[in-house]
Amino acid sequence: GIFCGKLSSDNIGWIGLGISPDGLMSGSTAIIALPDDNSVLKYSLGNERSVNPMNEEQQTLRDTSILQLYGRTIMTFTKLLVEEDELPILTDGSVNFFIHARGFSNTL
């Protein structure tokens, strides 16, 4: 299955949405949009200073876009629900923990 996502922020800057094992940043997989790079990519999150792009083979997002308009930043993407070496997005009624963040510049 697939997860079609759209995240909007009332500011100009980077934005991100993550899938977390426990609601915290460490150990999460995030989808981060960087407007200056015109990129929407997957990242591995460690502690609060460890944000690393996943390798090329794991960059499986489709239909990505990042738009800034009228003081807003909007990211869209399509992601597979289950991917190797990543937390799955559960559809069986179990709890998913999503996290989000935004920055006040277009770069991390």
Side-chain angles (χ1 to χ4, degrees), residues 26-106:
S26 185
S28 299
T29 298
I31 299 161
I32 300 175
L34 300 176
D36 282 358
D37 297 340
N38 195 36
S39 69
V40 179
L41 298 173
K42 293 193 298 186
Y43 289 75
S44 296
L45 305 183
N47 61 37
E48 58 189 61
R49 297 277 185 238
S50 177
V51 179
N52 299 301
M54 293 183 155
N55 64 44
E56 190 66 32
E57 296 81 38
Q58 291 177 291
Q59 297 297 340
T60 56
L61 298 174
R62 300 184 312 219
D63 309 317
T64 62
S65 70
I66 177 69
L67 174 67
Q68 292 183 315
L69 190 62
Y70 305 117
R72 298 179 62 84
T73 303
I74 304 163
M75 166 181 73
T76 61
F77 61 88
T78 300
K79 182 191 180 314
L80 295 172
L81 295 175
V82 178
E83 299 190 67
E84 190 174 333
D85 297 325
E86 293 182 32
L87 293 170
I89 298 174
L90 305 172
T91 60
D92 63 359
S94 300
V95 175
N96 288 291
F97 291 99
F98 290 97
I99 58 175
H100 64 91
R102 67 180 180 175
F104 293 93
S105 72
N106 283 341

